[in-house]
């Protein structure tokens, strides 16, 4: 296999230059066209999908408003029926085997029944609203009042005691009743004294509540999934849609409980369909619509295939045209090639002849001559750079020697101080030597916290020589934090800032506290001084300088030291880490340095 690939590659390398150039030009034409056409048709496909998703999503939102209005109509009608005291009295009388006179029945019919009938007739979305007594001892008054025998004819009689919504049933009040699929809100009527006295059925046609299930919408099938998982179709049924609806209903019901999602619309690549589910909280069910957009997607694919066929034809013709042009361009190429071959033999003094034609080949000849001139110049520059590099190495070695010289001199001074029993001077020289070694020693960017604190101890020992008062350093750092790594010289500027701007201004014995706190996967190093503190305006200004909102310049008290520490911490560990400042005027200033424990540990290999 490898030998065959090598042989094929050698065959390609052996092709004539005009053939290679023609192939390269075609590749540079084909690749962008292929990418652009791929992106274009992909965007067309995505645009088709997005338009369908957006349209169906907005359609479901409109359906949601219509359904809620219908539900409100049913609820308001039910409440109106529940509040009719006269009709409730009729139901109580019927349960107690009481009777009304003919005159009383006529009055009830003229007033209450007529009023309720007008309410139903003036609401075109309602199919009807009815009272059902719990006994047959009642005068039926159509279309409002019916006895218990009529109730037993209805499909939903078994759930009447519980009440609630019933879907997709047929009205069996009479043998000649309409067989249109219905839905209704069943409401038991309970009296405090007499208990259950009847039921209210407020009904509506399924096609009125869910018109999308019964309309002939091109390429769209809708269904309603009840809370108990029953999938109800209108005119069209589909087993695939049924499975999709069942799964989506469970998902969107859970989303509605957890996130308040009511409408969820997405594209199914497998089915090439846009699927939208709308959870109807009032009905405790989900309306699902599935729109088949495979025709639109296939139309995009047909356009793509047609485009590809035309492009192949164009590229075949173009290959012949490009090959002819390349052959014409390369006619003068070999004039320049002969000059290059002489240069290859080592003759840098040779120059290409200037071609008469002022075209690319003439420019190439000119550029070859310039290249030879530049080669000679660059060779001389390389010699000069090598000399400069040698000088730099020598200077670096001298600096190293100077550093060792300083350390040796300090050791000598230390020994002289100890011989003269000047132990304070000896200890100071020791601290200075350690401080210089830490500062001048080459190391990786990150150092151990313990090393940084050792440097701070030496720094404090030297700082105390300057003052008539003592600055005590109090450390409370867990061992785990001691083994973390931080950027070198990231704590010392905070200590220095605390001394200059906090401690020096009060000029009395004080303590600087360094405390380590571990929380989850992070740790915080708090540096607190009992200095003068800051007011709110000064603190706000310092925080803005640290965050970079206000530019910092040179000079003392401008926050540039803390700004540098902040930048280095964020560069090392990320934007969520760095320093924060808290203060109280006349009391204290606390600077908190937060770094990640895990990342700090991993940086041991930095």
């Amino acid at each position: 296999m490898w030998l065959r690939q090598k042989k094929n590659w050698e065959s390609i390398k052996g092709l004539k230059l005009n053939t290679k150039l023609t192939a390269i030009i075609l590749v540079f034409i084909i690749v962008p066209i292929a990418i652009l056409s791929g992106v274009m048709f992909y965007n067309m496909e995505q645009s088709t999908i997005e338009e369908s998703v957006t349209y169906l999503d907005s359609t479901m939102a409109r359906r949601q408003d219509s359904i809620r209005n219908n539900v409100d109509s049913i609820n308001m009608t039910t409440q109106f029926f529940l509040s009719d005291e006269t009709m409730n009295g009729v139901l109580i009388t019927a349960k107690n085997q009481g009777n009304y006179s003919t005159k009383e029945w006529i009055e009830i019919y003229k007033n209450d029944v007529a009023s309720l009938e007008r309410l139903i007739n003036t609401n075109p979305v309602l199919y009807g609203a009815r009272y059902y007594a719990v006994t047959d001892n009642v005068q039926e008054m159509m279309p409002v009042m019916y006895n218990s025998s009529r109730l037993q004819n209805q499909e939903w009689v078994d759930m009447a005691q519980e009440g609630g919504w019933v879907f997709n049933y047929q009205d069996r009040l009479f043998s000649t009743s309409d067989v249109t699929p219905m839905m209704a809100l069943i409401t038991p009527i309970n009296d405090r004294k007499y208990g259950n006295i009847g039921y209210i059925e407020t009904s509506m046609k399924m096609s009125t509540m869910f018109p999308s299930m019964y309309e002939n919408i091109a390429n769209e099938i809708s269904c309603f999934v009840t809370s108990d998982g029953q999938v109800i179709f209108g005119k069209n049924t589909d087993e695939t849609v049924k499975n999709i609806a069942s799964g989506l209903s469970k998902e969107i019901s859970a989303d509605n409980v957890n996130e308040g999602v009511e409408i969820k619309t997405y594209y199914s690549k497998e089915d090439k369909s846009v699927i939208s589910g709308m959870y109807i909280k009032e009905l405790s069910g989900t309306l699902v619509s599935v729109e088949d957009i495979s025709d639109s997607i296939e139309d995009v694919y047909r356009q793509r295939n047609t485009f590809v066929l035309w492009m192949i034809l164009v590229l075949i013709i173009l290959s012949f045209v490009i090959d002819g042009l390349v052959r014409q361009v390369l006619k003068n190429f070999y004039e320049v090639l002969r000059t290059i071959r002489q240069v290859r033999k080592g003759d840098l003094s040779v120059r290409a002849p200037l071609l008469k034609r002022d075209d690319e080949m003439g420019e190439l000849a000119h550029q070859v001559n310039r290249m030879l001139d530049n080669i000679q110049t660059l060779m001389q520059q390389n010699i000069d750079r090598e000399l400069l590099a040698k000088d730099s190495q020598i200077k670096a070695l001298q600096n190293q020697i100077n550093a060792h010289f300083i350390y040796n001199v300090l050791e000598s001074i230390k020994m002289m101080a100890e011989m003269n029993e000047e132990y304070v001077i000896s200890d100071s020289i020791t601290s200075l030597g350690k401080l210089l070694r830490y500062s001048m020693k080459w190391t990786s960017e990150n150092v151990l916290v313990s090393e940084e604190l050792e440097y701070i101890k030496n720094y404090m020992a030297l700082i105390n020589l300057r003052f008539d008062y003592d600055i005590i350093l109090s450390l409370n750092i867990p061992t785990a934090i001691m083994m973390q790594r931080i950027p070198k010289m990231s704590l010392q500027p905070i200590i220095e800032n605390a001394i200059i701007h906090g401690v020096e201004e009060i000029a009395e014995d004080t303590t600087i506290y360094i405390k380590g706190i571990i929380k989850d996967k992070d740790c915080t190093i708090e540096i607190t001084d009992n200095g003068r503190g800051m007011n709110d305006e000064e603190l706000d200004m310092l925080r803005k300088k640290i965050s970079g909102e206000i530019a910092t310049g040179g000079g003392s008290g401008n926050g540039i030291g803390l700004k540098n520490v902040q930048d280095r911490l964020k560069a090392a560990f990320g934007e969520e880490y760095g320093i924060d400042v808290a203060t109280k005027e006349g009391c204290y200033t606390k600077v908190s340095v937060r770094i990640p424990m895990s990342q700090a540990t991993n940086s041991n290999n930095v």
Side-chain angles (χ1 to χ4, degrees):
M1 182 68 179
W2 179 81
L3 292 175
R4 188 183 303 113
Q5 291 178 347
K6 183 177 180 181
K7 185 177 181 180
N8 293 336
W9 176 245
E10 292 295 333
S11 299
I12 294 174
K13 290 171 63 178
L15 294 175
K16 291 184 178 180
L17 184 58
N18 64 298
T19 304
K20 292 179 181 178
L21 289 177
T22 301
I24 291 172
I25 293 171
L26 287 174
V27 168
F28 275 92
I29 294 174
I30 293 172
V31 170
I33 290 177
I35 294 174
L36 290 175
S37 61
V39 171
M40 178 182 69
F41 285 106
Y42 174 78
N43 288 337
M44 288 177 61
E45 180 182 357
Q46 294 303 309
S47 177
T48 301
I49 294 171
E50 289 174 5
E51 288 177 4
S52 300
V53 169
T54 301
Y55 176 77
L56 187 56
D57 192 67
S58 60
T59 300
M60 292 296 279
R62 292 193 297 271
R63 293 171 182 173
Q64 182 184 51
D65 294 336
S66 175
I67 290 171
R68 284 179 173 171
N69 289 335
N70 292 338
V71 171
D72 289 342
S73 295
I74 291 176
N75 286 330
M76 286 189 293
T77 302
T78 301
Q79 291 301 317
F80 193 85
F81 270 57
L82 284 172
S83 63
D84 193 311
E85 295 182 359
T86 300
M87 300 304 290
N88 287 336
V90 171
L91 295 174
I92 292 173
T93 302
K95 183 174 182 179
N96 294 328
Q97 302 300 316
N99 291 304
Y100 285 93
S101 66
T102 302
K103 182 179 180 180
E104 289 174 329
W105 282 121
I106 293 173
E107 288 297 321
I108 293 172
Y109 187 86
K110 285 183 178 181
N111 296 323
D112 293 86
V113 173
S115 175
L116 294 175
E117 187 175 1
R118 284 194 300 273
L119 173 66
I120 298 170
N121 293 335
T122 55
N123 193 335
V125 300
L126 289 178
Y127 177 79
R130 303 162 180 164
Y131 289 103
Y132 291 94
V134 295
T135 69
D136 289 339
N137 182 39
V138 66
Q139 176 65 44
E140 291 189 328
M141 293 177 286
M142 293 186 292
V144 173
M145 178 65 73
Y146 298 93
N147 59 34
S148 178
S149 297
R150 303 286 186 187
L151 174 66
Q152 302 304 315
N153 294 334
Q154 299 290 17
E155 296 179 16
W156 45 263
V157 63
D158 293 335
M159 57 81 61
Q161 288 287 345
E162 298 178 0
W165 292 95
V166 290
F167 302 95
N168 202 37
Y169 73 93
Q170 294 179 359
D171 185 14
R172 296 180 179 176
L173 188 67
F174 303 104
S175 59
T176 59
S177 296
D178 193 352
V179 296
T180 302
M182 306 291 297
M183 63 170 290
L185 176 61
I186 309 302
T187 307
I189 307 174
N190 296 306
D191 184 81
R192 292 183 179 179
K193 181 177 181 180
Y194 299 103
N196 179 233
I197 60 174
Y199 305 93
I200 297 175
E201 174 198 17
T202 311
S203 60
M204 179 181 292
K205 292 182 179 181
M206 288 285 290
S207 58
T208 302
M209 182 66 78
F210 307 113
S212 61
M213 293 169 51
Y214 297 88
E215 296 174 350
N216 292 321
I217 303 175
N219 300 321
E220 182 180 331
I221 298 178
S222 296
C223 61
F224 181 73
V225 185
T226 62
S227 58
D228 59 0
Q230 179 187 3
V231 181
I232 303 172
F233 284 93
K235 284 188 175 182
N236 302 311
T237 60
D238 188 284
E239 194 64 27
T240 302
V241 174
K242 182 177 180 180
N243 295 332
I244 292 173
S246 298
L248 182 59
S249 172
K250 295 177 182 178
E251 181 179 348
I252 199 170
S253 297
D255 290 344
N256 181 261
V257 172
N258 298 328
E259 304 172 15
V261 176
E262 293 185 344
I263 299 178
K264 184 172 184 177
T265 307
Y266 65 93
Y267 171 69
S268 173
K269 186 175 181 181
E270 180 182 356
D271 302 314
K272 292 184 181 178
S273 300
V274 176
I275 302 168
S276 182
M278 175 175 62
Y279 181 74
I280 308 169
K281 185 176 181 180
E282 295 82 357
L283 303 180
S284 298
T286 305
L287 178 64
V288 178
S289 293
V290 179
E291 181 184 1
D292 183 5
I293 62 170
S294 58
D295 290 342
S296 301
I297 299 298
E298 291 297 331
D299 185 57
V300 174
Y301 292 164
R302 284 192 293 271
Q303 294 180 43
R304 180 194 62 190
N305 296 337
T306 302
F307 176 82
V308 170
L309 291 175
W310 276 105
M311 285 307 305
I312 291 174
L313 179 61
V314 170
L315 289 172
I316 291 173
I317 298 172
L318 191 60
S319 63
F320 288 103
V321 175
I322 293 174
D323 185 67
L325 292 174
V326 170
R327 289 176 183 273
Q328 187 66 28
V329 170
L330 292 178
K331 187 179 292 184
N332 295 316
F333 171 74
Y334 294 102
E335 292 292 332
V336 179
L337 184 59
R338 279 192 291 269
T339 302
I340 295 176
R341 286 172 177 169
Q342 288 180 323
V343 173
R344 182 181 178 185
K345 296 178 181 179
D347 186 3
L348 296 178
S349 62
V350 68
R351 294 295 182 268
L354 296 176
L355 301 177
K356 294 180 180 179
R357 292 178 61 186
D358 189 15
D359 57 7
E360 288 81 357
M361 288 299 110
E363 177 67 18
L364 177 60
H366 176 67
Q367 293 299 332
V368 167
N369 291 338
R370 290 186 60 184
M371 179 187 67
L372 294 173
D373 295 337
N374 290 337
I375 287 174
Q376 290 181 326
T377 301
L378 290 172
M379 289 177 65
Q380 183 61 42
Q381 290 177 351
N382 284 336
I383 294 173
D384 294 340
R385 277 197 294 269
E386 289 181 3
L387 292 175
L388 182 61
K390 292 295 183 181
D391 291 341
S392 299
Q393 292 177 359
I394 293 173
K395 289 180 180 179
L397 182 60
Q398 289 176 342
N399 289 335
Q400 186 175 5
I401 295 173
N402 290 338
H404 285 294
F405 174 75
I406 292 173
Y407 299 152
N408 292 334
V409 170
L410 289 175
E411 282 295 323
S412 298
I413 297 174
K414 174 186 175 183
M415 292 179 62
M416 293 172 61
E418 290 180 348
M419 291 174 62
N420 292 326
E421 298 184 355
E422 296 289 346
Y423 297 113
V424 175
I425 296 176
S426 174
D427 293 341
S428 300
I429 294 297
T430 299
S431 297
L432 178 60
K434 291 180 179 179
L435 188 144
L436 289 175
R437 286 182 184 274
Y438 184 81
S439 300
M440 300 175 69
K441 179 183 178 182
W442 180 91
T443 183
S444 59
E445 183 180 357
N446 292 350
V447 297
L448 293 175
V449 172
S450 59
E451 295 175 341
E452 184 76 0
L453 292 176
E454 186 64 28
Y455 172 78
I456 290 173
K457 291 178 183 178
N458 293 320
Y459 173 77
M460 292 297 298
L462 295 175
I463 282 293
N464 277 321
L465 295 175
R466 296 175 46 197
F467 305 126
D468 296 331
Y469 49 87
D470 290 332
I471 303 175
I472 301 171
L473 187 65
S474 175
L475 299 177
N476 183 12
I477 306 291
T479 303
I481 296 181
M482 285 287 196
M483 300 308 295
Q484 305 308 307
R485 286 184 174 268
I486 57 174
K488 184 179 178 181
M489 302 290 286
S490 57
L491 297 182
Q492 186 274 337
I494 301 174
I495 297 294
E496 182 178 0
N497 195 71
I499 294 172
I500 294 175
H501 303 294
V503 175
E504 282 191 6
E505 297 195 15
I506 62 174
E508 61 184 28
D509 291 350
T510 187
T511 301
I512 294 178
Y513 301 91
I514 303 180
K515 180 181 179 181
I517 301 172
I518 300 174
K519 184 177 181 181
D520 298 331
K521 295 182 179 181
D522 297 335
C523 65
T524 301
I525 301 174
E526 297 180 348
I527 300 174
T528 306
D529 67 78
N530 296 328
R532 72 174 186 86
M534 291 178 283
N535 56 38
D536 292 340
E537 182 178 352
E538 290 174 325
L539 177 60
D540 183 61
M541 182 68 68
L542 178 60
R543 285 176 171 170
K544 288 181 178 179
K545 288 180 178 180
I546 294 173
S547 64
E549 297 179 39
I550 299 178
T552 56
S556 176
N558 60 8
I560 190 171
L562 297 181
K563 173 67 168 60
N564 288 338
V565 173
Q566 176 83 318
D567 292 343
R568 293 171 63 204
L569 290 172
K570 288 184 177 297
F573 304 120
E575 288 297 323
E576 65 271 29
Y577 298 99
I579 65 174
D580 188 27
V581 182
T583 186
K584 183 176 181 181
E585 188 173 11
C587 187
Y588 73 91
T589 298
K590 178 170 68 177
V591 179
S592 301
V593 179
R594 188 166 74 94
I595 61 174
M597 289 287 289
S598 58
Q599 188 167 349
T601 303
N602 293 337
S603 63
N604 288 336
N605 299 324
V606 175

